[in-house]
């Protein structure tokens, strides 16, 4: 099966330029070639792009596809069957916004990834790490302080699991690897949606973090850390963590260290804005809302510092429940401090590099998976082209299949 996109302006994300009048041939789910001359192929399906922009499908490197609610205590008590159905709806929405790959950093598993692969669920390619590892009382511990019991059945839905001590942490890491994890996620300090922790507290001992890093590296994987404070970021980097999530309270030192270690920063400004505006309505317990202010305004400063220091940033959103519709707002929120070409890179090639899958997706390039979108206008000149899919997103192709088209 051959599809030819004709008369396309191809966005070269590496160079940050548009290449006009190109013809892109897709065969068996992959990009076969990009030519300047029209391509003769008898029975190919032809799509006239009419000068619009053809670019790689978007990559969101920080999602939780099972988070149908912002109330994690509630999520944990919901039947897995319901959560899977809700995740299907959430992933379909992502695909319709132009995301063809997402990296789930807590909650998704091999079952959901398989359902997407087999076409049972409409959705982006799902890169997952299973459940995030958290110490007792950490960001993955959803028990209010008055509750001692917890159901640790693995199939109980939830973004995290509680593990304490080096042997338990190693075992949990090995279990996630056994279930096909693409990375391991740990909670490195407090978070907003967890009922009993403080943003300023570090989580896990150095020995525990080092053990997870060792297990990941033995399997040629990497570790992802939930971290806000400069202290937690530096501690994680020192112990070999490669992907820093959020990073709102980073200082210049922490940013320099991310750069020096060739690590990645995945800011998620979208979720703090969303939580502030409508978090409680979406299920966030009202008593946790005060924690949002600790990180909301600082987030943009961290992004600005990171951009200035040349840190590689990926696009992340971390949205929960009904707030998922704001998935494209991260572009707007960063646009005051990051140029459009870098925003596009964050949401394409940088995400692919972060996942070590740059030979699979993230560019319009021969040999790569045909994960492509067509947009009206030039996102390098006006990033709002990407944030307004109703009017500007004309086509989505995921792994060679057109999933949405207005052409
Ligand atoms: Zn998250």
């Amino acid at each position: 099966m051959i599809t030819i996109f004709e008369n396309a302006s191809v966005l070269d994300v590496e160079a940050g330029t548009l290449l006009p009048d190109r013809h892109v041939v897709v065969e068996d789910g992959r990009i076969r070639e990009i030519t300047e001359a029209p391509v003769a192929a008898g029975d190919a399906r032809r799509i006239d792009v009419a000068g619009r922009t053809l670019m790689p499908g978007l990559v969101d490197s920080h999602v939780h596809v099972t988070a149908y609610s912002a109330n994690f205590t509630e999520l944990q008590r919901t039947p897995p069957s319901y959560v899977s159905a809700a995740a299907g709806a959430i992933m379909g929405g992502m695909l319709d916004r132009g995301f063809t790959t997402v990296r789930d950093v807590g909650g998704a598993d091999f079952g959901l990834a398989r359902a997407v692969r087999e076409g049972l669920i409409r959705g982006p390619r799902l890169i997952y790490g299973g459940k995030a590892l958290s110490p007792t009382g950490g960001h993955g511990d959803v028990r209010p302080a008055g509750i001692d019991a917890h159901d640790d059945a693995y199939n109980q839905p939830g973004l995290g699991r509680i593990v304490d001590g080096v042997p338990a942490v190693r075992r949990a890491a090995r279990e996630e690897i056994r279930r096909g994890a693409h990375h391991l996620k740990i909670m490195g300090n407090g978070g907003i949606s967890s009922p009993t922790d403080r943003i300023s507290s570090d989580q896990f001992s150095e020995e525990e973090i080092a053990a997870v890093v060792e297990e990941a590296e033995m399997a040629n994987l990497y570790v992802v850390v939930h971290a806000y404070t400069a202290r937690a970021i530096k501690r994680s980097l020192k112990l070999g963590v490669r992907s820093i999530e959020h990073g709102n309270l980073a200082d210049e030192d922490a940013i320099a260290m991310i750069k020096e270690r060739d690590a990645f920063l995945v800011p998620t400004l979208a979720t703090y804005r969303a939580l502030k505006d409508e978090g409680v309505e979406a299920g966030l317990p009202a008593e946790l809302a005060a924690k949002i202010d600790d990180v909301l305004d600082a987030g943009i400063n961290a992004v600005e510092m990171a951009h200035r220091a040349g840190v590689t940033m990926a696009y992340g959103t971390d949205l929960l429940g009904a707030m998922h519709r704001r998935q494209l707002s991260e572009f707007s929120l960063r646009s005051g401090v990051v140029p459009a070409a870098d925003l596009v890179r964050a949401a394409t090639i940088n995400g692919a590099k972060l996942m070590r899958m740059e030979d699979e997706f993230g560019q319009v390039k021969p040999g790569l998976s045909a994960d492509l979108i067509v947009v009206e206008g030039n996102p390098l000149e006006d990033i709002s082209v990407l944030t307004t899919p109703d009017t500007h997103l004309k086509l989505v192709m995921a792994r060679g299949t057109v999933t949405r088209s207005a052409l």
Side-chain angles (χ1 to χ4, degrees), residues 297-318:
D297 295 330
I300 190 69
N301 300 329
V303 172
E304 196 272 328
M305 276 192 280
H307 174 68
R308 211 164 3 92
V311 164
T312 307
M313 283 186 273
Y315 188 95
T317 54
D318 198 21

Side-chain angles (χ1 to χ4, degrees), residues 4-143:
I4 305 175
F5 290 97
E6 299 184 303
N7 311 308
S9 294
V10 172
L11 201 161
D12 178 339
V13 296
E14 235 169 11
T17 52
L18 275 190
L19 309 168
D21 304 322
R22 295 300 200 273
H23 305 269
V24 178
V25 182
V26 170
E27 184 171 16
D28 298 332
R30 302 223 157 239
I31 300 166
R32 195 182 78 190
E33 59 179 326
I34 304 166
T35 68
E36 291 185 55
V39 180
D43 53 356
R45 170 181 185 194
R46 291 173 185 278
I47 298 173
D48 186 2
V49 178
R52 296 183 184 90
T53 302
L54 179 76
M55 61 180 285
L58 303 175
V59 177
D60 190 335
S61 296
H62 191 124
V63 302
H64 300 283
V65 301
T66 57
Y68 77 89
S69 163
N71 184 328
F72 290 178
T73 309
E74 169 95 26
L75 176 66
Q76 192 114 340
R77 289 195 295 250
T78 310
S81 48
Y82 179 87
V83 174
S84 300
I90 288 169
M91 282 191 278
M94 291 174 167
L95 190 61
D96 290 338
R97 290 178 205 108
F99 290 91
T100 52
T101 299
V102 297
R103 186 183 67 151
D104 188 288
V105 286
D109 70 353
F110 61 103
L112 279 178
R114 175 178 163 187
V116 171
R117 226 173 27 243
E118 294 178 358
L120 296 173
I121 288 178
R122 272 185 88 242
R125 175 188 290 104
L126 181 60
I127 304 300
Y128 63 92
K131 292 197 197 284
L133 311 188
S134 164
T136 290
H139 186 43
D141 187 340
V142 302
R143 295 171 299 171

Side-chain angles (χ1 to χ4, degrees), residues 38 157 160 343:
L343 292 174

Side-chain angles (χ1 to χ4, degrees), residues 62-64 72 105-106 139 159 185 187 226 228 245-246 268 271-272 317-320:
H62 191 124
V63 302
H64 300 283
F72 290 178
V105 286
H139 186 43
L159 306 194
K185 165 87 177 282
M187 302 308 194
H226 161 97
Y228 289 118
E245 310 301 300
H246 318 303
T268 61
T271 199
Y272 308 110
T317 54
D318 198 21
L319 292 162
L320 312 170

Side-chain angles (χ1 to χ4, degrees), residues 181-195:
H182 295 91
H183 53 258
L184 298 174
K185 165 87 177 282
I186 59 169
M187 302 308 194
N189 70 5
I192 291 167
S193 51
S194 32

Side-chain angles (χ1 to χ4, degrees), residues 311-332:
V311 164
T312 307
M313 283 186 273
Y315 188 95
T317 54
D318 198 21
L319 292 162
L320 312 170
M323 297 177 280
H324 274 107
R325 67 177 196 292
R326 298 181 179 230
Q327 197 179 12
L328 293 159
S329 70
E330 186 75 19
F331 283 116
S332 331

